[in-house]
Amino acid sequence: MPGKDGYDLVVVANRLPVDFSVGPDGDLTWQRSPGGLVTALEPVMQDADGAWVGWSGAPDLAHEPFEADGMLLVPVTLTAVEIERYYEGFSNGTLWPLYHDVIERPDYHRQWWDAYRRVNQRFADAAAEQAAEGGVVWVHDYQLQLVPRMLRDLRPDLRIGFFDHIPFPPVELFAQLPWRRQIIDGLLGADLVGFQRTGDAANFVRSARRLTGYTTRGPVITIPDADGRPGRHVRASSFPISIDSHRFDTLARTPEVQARAKEIKADLGNPETLMLGVDRLDYTKGIRHRIKAYGELLDDGRLDVEHATLVQVASPSRENVGAYQELREHVEVLVGRINGEYGELGHSAIHYLHHSYPPEEMAALYLAADVLLVTSLRDGMNLVAKEYIAARSDERGALVLSEFTGAADELSPGPLLVNPHDIDGMKDIIVAAATMDPKEQRRRMRRLRRKVLADDVAKWSETFLGVLTAVPPRPLTVDPRSAEPRHNNIRDALTAFTTVPDGAPARGRLARMGNGNGRRRKPTTGWLLACDFDGTLAPLVDDPKASTMTRAARAAIEQLHALAQDAPVRLAFISGRDLSDLAERTVAPDGTFLVGSHGAEAGRATATGVEQVPFHLTTVQSGQLDALVAGFESAVSGREGAWVQVKPAAAVVHTRLASVDDAAAITVAAEEVAANLGLPPMHGKDVVEVSVVPTSKGEALRRLRGTVAAELGVEKVRVLYAGDDTTDEHAFGALESGDLSIKVGTGDTLASHRVPDPDALAAVLAGLSRTLRSED
C-alpha cells in the first residue's frame, strides 16, 4: 500500500493489468490480463515502485487498492451508464471512428461527452492521490485524453506523459469534433505526448497550432504563462510500440508449439499455401476487403481450394456496439457465400474462427502460416505483424502489410505493402506472396527479424520514460502559470481561509469569541460561503426542472447553515436561474442569501419562500426583453430539443437536447438577435442567455460582500465561491486576497482550486464545517 510520499511512477490506463472479482465474503481473486502494455510496463513499474490506475472491466465493481505482481493496483469504479456513455459511446462511438479516418461515421452526443469528462476526472483524481511529489505519471490512450490537463491542475509538480496507441487524425478531420479544443487542451497538460507514427505527431502539432494559436517549433508546442509570455513546453514525438519479441521467439521455438503448428496444417489438409488473418473483429482491420480479394482470386482461378486456404481469426470486440454487430453479420455472410460457392469436401475455402486464443496457439498458427495478411484500413501500429515475424525463427513466410499501418513505416523494406482499398492490387500482392521464392522469403524475413528483435517493447518503454524523466520536476508549492505560491492541497487552503487576520486559527472560536473575562468579543472578520447551483451542488441534467442537490451537498449545506446560527458565517446561492425557481430548486435554508438571473434579482430565503428585493424593468428594458423572446422563439422554431426560457430580466435559449448542428445554428441566430439589440450574450453549458439588465455574478458577489459585512458588523468578509460554468468566472474574478475559489469540473478557470463534481465539493464544504467547529 502507498506510503505517505506516494509512488514514483503511476500508470493510468483504461483497464487494469488484471481481471479481478470480489466474492460474497469480500475475498479478492485476480488473474493477469494478456496484453503488450502489461508486458512492457510490469518490470519497469516493479523497479520504480509503481502504481497502476485503471477500470476493472465490470460495472459497479469497487475495491480498495491492492497489490498484485509487485504493483499497487488502484481500481476506478464505473457505473453501467458510464460504461455505455464514456466507453462504448464517446470512446468507441465518437473518437475511434473519427481517429480512424472516419471509416465509419462518428456519433456526437453531449451526454457521451459529459460522461467522458466525468470519468477522466475520476482517473485524474486517483492518479493525483497516488503520485509522489515530482513523480512521473504515464497516461495511455484515447479514452483518457483529458487526464493530463486535469492532473496538471491538481498536481503541477508532476511530470506527465501521454501515449496515443491509435492514429491521430489530420486537423481537417479532427475539426469535426465539437469538443476539439477541449481534447487538445487536455493533451497539452502533458510534458510529452507520444504517437506511433511521425505523421500522427505532426497531425497533433498542426491541430494544436490551428486550434489554440500557440507557438510551435518542430515537435515542441509552447504554452504561454498567465502574462502571455513563453512558459511550459510540450513535446510531441513518435515512439513506435513493439512486443516482447524475445519472449515470443522463445515460445515459438518450443517443441510443443512446433508440433501444434504441424498438427494445424495437417488438420487443414496440408495445403500448399496456408494464408492467415488475425484481427479483432473491427471495421478498421479491412477484413471484408481481404475476404473479398481472396474470393475473387478463387473465382479468377488464380487460387484454388485444393492448394490454398485462408484461416481468419476474428477475436470478439465491442459486441454491444451496433457497428461491430453489423460487421460480424457482414463477414459471416461473406464467408458463408464463398465457402458455399468454392468449398469442396475436405477443402474449405475459408476457416472462420470467432474466438480469442492464448499465445501458444497463436504462435503455432503463425508457424503454420505461409502468408500473413494484414490489410488494415487504418491502424496505429498492428502488433500481429510483429508477432508473426518474431515467431518465424525458420526465416520462412511472407508478410502482406497494409501501407496504412504504423508497422509499415517501421518495418519497410521487408513486407509486401498493399493498399487494401485497391482490390485488384491486393489480389496481385497476395499471389506474389503465395508464390514467393524461399530465398526471397529468407532475405526479407531475416531483415524483419533483426528489426523486431532489436526494437522490442522494453526499448519502447525505456525510450519514452527516458525522455519524460528528463523533464525537471516542478516544486509542488509553486504554480508554474503564475509563479505564485499555492497551497499543496485544498485542506491547507481551508485552514488558511479560516485563519483570522491575527494569525490564530479561527476554528471553534468563531462561535465563542471570548476575551478571557467570560465576555463575548465582537468579531472583526466574517465569512460568506457562496455557491452556484446547477453543476456545482447539483449534477447537470437534461431537464432543469429535475435538478436537485446531491445528498452529500444537502448534508454539507445543512451543517454550514447550523453553524451560521451563532457564528459570523453566511450562506448564499448565486445562479443563472430566476429567483423563484432558484428558491424552489435549492429548498434554501432560512436566511440564505439568494441571487438569481446572474445578479439581476436578489432576495433571502424564508420559511415560506423568498423575500425579494424590489425589482422593476424600465420601459426600454421591457421592450428589449419582448424582442429577445420573439427572436429566440424564431431561432428554435422547427428544431427539436431546443427551447426558450423567459426570466424576469433575461431570455435563455437551451440547446442541451438538440443535435450538434441545430445547436450551432441556434447559437449563431441567438447571438445575432442580441447583437441587433446591442446586448451582450452570456454563454454557458448548452445555453445562450441575454439579460436586459447589465449585471454579472461578479457584481452580485461584490454587493453581497458589502451586505454581509454590514449585517455582521465586521471590518472584512472572506468569501468562498464555488462554480462550474463560464458565467462563474466573473465571480472568481471578483474575489480578493484571502478568499477561496473552487472550480467544479474541467475547463479553463481563474479559480485557485478544482474539484471534479458536486459530491467532491460537498466533501470540501463538510471539511470546512469541521474546520470551523473544531476546538484548538
Side-chain angles (χ1 to χ4, degrees):
M1 299 301 292
K4 64 178 181 179
D5 295 328
Y7 287 84
D8 297 325
L9 174 62
V10 177
V11 167
V12 187
N14 178 61
R15 288 292 302 272
L16 287 172
V18 303
D19 296 319
F20 76 93
S21 60
V22 181
D25 55 357
D27 289 342
L28 176 74
T29 58
W30 61 269
Q31 63 180 22
R32 178 172 165 167
S33 301
L37 188 62
V38 181
T39 302
L41 296 181
E42 183 180 39
V44 177
M45 294 183 66
Q46 290 170 345
D47 292 342
D49 183 29
W52 188 306
V53 175
W55 168 45
S56 69
D60 301 304
L61 182 57
H63 198 275
E64 292 299 312
F66 61 95
E67 288 191 357
D69 282 345
M71 297 178 286
L72 181 80
L73 304 186
V74 184
V76 173
T77 304
L78 301 183
T79 67
V81 171
E82 287 171 337
I83 295 168
E84 177 187 350
R85 294 183 177 182
Y86 146 77
Y87 182 67
E88 296 173 355
F90 195 79
S91 295
N92 294 318
T94 300
L95 294 177
W96 182 267
L98 178 65
Y99 283 29
H100 286 85
D101 294 350
V102 195
I103 295 168
E104 289 283 328
R105 181 180 64 85
D107 291 321
Y108 303 117
H109 298 294
R110 281 165 287 179
Q111 294 88 348
W112 290 3
W113 165 248
D114 290 342
Y116 186 82
R117 288 189 304 160
R118 288 196 302 271
V119 171
N120 271 243
Q121 186 69 62
R122 198 171 304 154
F123 276 85
D125 292 341
E129 185 176 347
Q130 298 298 332
E133 181 173 350
V136 170
V137 179
W138 192 358
V139 186
H140 287 269
D141 226 357
Y142 63 104
Q143 301 97 341
L144 302 174
Q145 293 175 107
L146 302 180
V147 169
R149 173 60 185 271
M150 293 170 170
L151 263 177
R152 181 73 57 199
D153 290 332
L154 292 167
R155 293 284 305 277
D157 61 298
L158 296 175
R159 289 168 288 179
I160 302 170
F162 180 90
F163 188 78
D164 183 29
H165 291 256
I166 69 173
F168 195 89
V171 65
E172 292 78 12
L173 289 180
F174 184 70
Q176 292 184 20
L177 186 66
W179 307 279
R180 57 200 183 185
R181 174 61 191 263
Q182 291 94 318
I183 294 293
I184 292 294
D185 284 342
L187 292 171
L188 289 177
D191 297 292
L192 177 63
V193 185
F195 299 91
Q196 302 279 21
R197 308 174 78 172
T198 302
D200 295 324
N203 285 343
F204 172 71
V205 172
R206 282 194 291 268
S207 292
R209 182 172 60 243
R210 176 89 61 89
L211 297 174
T212 68
Y214 293 157
T215 300
T216 64
R217 191 167 188 173
V220 177
I221 304 160
T222 300
I223 313 296
D225 64 15
D227 298 322
R229 295 172 299 190
R232 192 169 55 84
H233 300 294
V234 180
R235 176 176 291 274
S237 300
S238 62
F239 298 86
I241 197 171
S242 191
I243 63 171
D244 189 348
S245 48
H246 292 279
R247 183 176 179 182
F248 211 88
D249 174 54
T250 301
L251 176 66
R253 292 175 186 268
T254 61
E256 296 81 6
V257 168
Q258 293 185 352
R260 175 59 182 152
K262 294 177 181 177
E263 182 181 357
I264 289 172
K265 203 148 188 178
D267 289 344
L268 295 172
N270 286 312
E272 291 180 9
T273 305
L274 170 56
M275 300 186 186
L276 175 66
V278 177
D279 312 88
R280 283 189 310 105
L281 190 58
D282 190 291
Y283 51 75
T284 66
K285 300 300 183 181
I287 300 173
R288 284 177 289 192
H289 298 65
R290 178 188 314 159
I291 293 175
K292 177 179 175 63
Y294 181 73
E296 289 190 9
L297 285 171
L298 294 175
D299 189 57
D300 296 342
R302 298 172 71 183
L303 293 177
D304 63 78
V305 297
E306 184 178 353
H307 300 94
T309 192
L310 170 64
V311 174
Q312 177 61 57
V313 177
S315 303
S317 177
R318 300 167 188 165
E319 296 186 296
N320 293 327
V321 179
Y324 290 79
Q325 296 168 350
E326 182 179 345
L327 172 66
R328 179 178 179 181
E329 292 174 4
H330 286 178
V331 168
E332 292 178 352
V333 167
L334 185 59
V335 169
R337 181 183 65 78
I338 292 174
N339 277 334
E341 292 183 7
Y342 303 106
E344 300 175 355
L345 288 174
H347 298 287
S348 291
I350 303 173
H351 298 266
Y352 175 73
L353 308 171
H354 187 55
H355 305 288
S356 296
Y357 292 97
E360 295 79 6
E361 185 72 1
M362 292 311 306
L365 278 167
Y366 292 142
L367 278 175
D370 301 290
V371 178
L372 178 73
L373 303 177
V374 177
T375 58
S376 306
L377 305 180
R378 190 74 167 93
D379 221 334
M381 176 52 63
N382 194 285
L383 297 180
V384 166
K386 295 189 175 184
E387 289 180 350
Y388 180 70
I389 294 165
R392 300 310 301 243
S393 59
D394 59 356
E395 297 181 350
R396 295 293 300 271
L399 171 61
V400 174
L401 182 61
S402 167
E403 61 191 63
F404 303 120
T405 63
D409 285 4
E410 192 182 3
L411 297 178
S412 298
L416 297 175
L417 296 184
V418 62
N419 175 358
H421 299 283
D422 178 7
I423 299 298
D424 287 335
M426 181 154 56
K427 289 161 59 177
D428 292 340
I429 293 294
I430 291 175
V431 171
T435 58
M436 184 181 293
D437 180 77
K439 290 183 179 180
E440 179 66 10
Q441 290 183 21
R442 282 193 292 272
R443 186 181 67 82
R444 289 173 177 266
M445 190 58 70
R446 192 177 297 123
R447 180 187 300 125
L448 289 171
R449 282 178 57 80
R450 280 199 301 266
K451 176 68 174 175
V452 170
L453 292 173
D455 295 336
D456 64 0
V457 72
K459 183 177 178 181
W460 167 75
S461 61
E462 290 168 4
T463 302
F464 186 95
L465 289 173
V467 176
L468 180 56
T469 53
V471 176
R474 301 170 183 85
L476 186 60
T477 54
V478 174
D479 185 338
R481 292 168 296 181
S482 63
E484 292 293 331
R486 63 179 286 159
H487 300 292
N488 290 1
N489 54 52
I490 206 162
R491 183 180 301 173
D492 294 343
L494 291 178
T495 300
F497 177 68
T498 56
T499 298
V500 295
D502 63 4
R507 304 195 219 189
R509 290 182 294 131
L510 282 172
R512 297 179 302 283
M513 292 254 185
N515 62 5
N517 297 320
R519 300 177 183 177
R520 295 175 63 88
R521 185 175 79 239
K522 183 178 179 180
T524 60
T525 302
W527 281 261
L528 171 61
L529 312 178
C531 296
D532 176 40
F533 180 67
D534 295 283
T536 302
L537 295 171
L540 291 173
V541 293
D542 291 337
D543 181 4
K545 295 179 181 179
S547 185
T548 183
M549 232 182 264
T550 70
R551 182 179 299 178
R554 173 66 62 191
I557 291 298
E558 293 293 345
Q559 292 170 10
L560 291 171
H561 176 249
L563 181 69
Q565 304 310 300
D566 60 353
V569 174
R570 294 294 181 265
L571 293 177
F573 297 143
I574 302 178
S575 173
R577 290 178 179 264
D578 65 71
L579 197 66
S580 60
D581 185 31
L582 178 63
E584 180 180 355
R585 288 291 100 214
T586 60
V587 193
D590 192 16
T592 302
F593 288 99
L594 299 175
V595 176
S597 300
H598 297 286
E601 299 180 277
R604 202 155 188 181
T606 67
T608 57
V610 58
E611 181 182 343
Q612 184 170 2
V613 175
F615 168 76
H616 301 286
L617 295 180
T618 67
T619 302
V620 172
Q621 290 170 337
S622 294
Q624 289 177 320
L625 183 57
D626 291 341
L628 279 173
V629 173
F632 285 4
E633 291 286 3
S634 176
V636 303
S637 178
R639 299 183 188 273
E640 186 177 353
W643 72 94
V644 177
Q645 177 187 7
V646 182
K647 297 181 181 180
V652 189
V653 174
H654 293 263
T655 58
R656 186 168 186 79
L657 298 181
S659 70
V660 173
D661 290 341
D662 281 351
I666 292 168
T667 298
V668 171
E671 290 173 340
E672 290 178 353
V673 171
N676 291 335
L677 293 169
L679 298 172
M682 291 184 288
H683 293 271
K685 293 179 178 176
D686 302 310
V687 299
V688 179
E689 179 165 351
V690 180
S691 175
V692 300
V693 176
T695 187
S696 71
K697 290 183 177 181
E699 290 298 325
L701 196 58
R702 291 187 185 97
R703 292 194 299 268
L704 198 53
R705 189 196 296 267
T707 300
V708 171
E711 179 175 302
L712 294 176
V714 296
E715 299 173 2
K716 182 174 180 61
V717 172
R718 288 186 172 180
V719 177
L720 177 150
Y721 186 78
D724 76 303
D725 209 343
T726 54
T727 57
D728 294 304
E729 296 302 312
H730 296 289
F732 294 143
L735 297 182
E736 302 172 357
S737 176
D739 294 339
L740 179 58
S741 52
I742 304 174
K743 166 82 169 183
V744 180
T746 60
D748 292 334
T749 185
L750 297 173
S752 58
H753 291 79
R754 188 188 300 267
V755 295
D757 52 42
D759 279 345
L761 176 65
V764 172
L765 296 178
L768 175 62
S769 178
R770 290 191 296 271
T771 301
L772 292 171
R773 286 186 178 280
S774 64
E775 296 291 340
D776 287 337

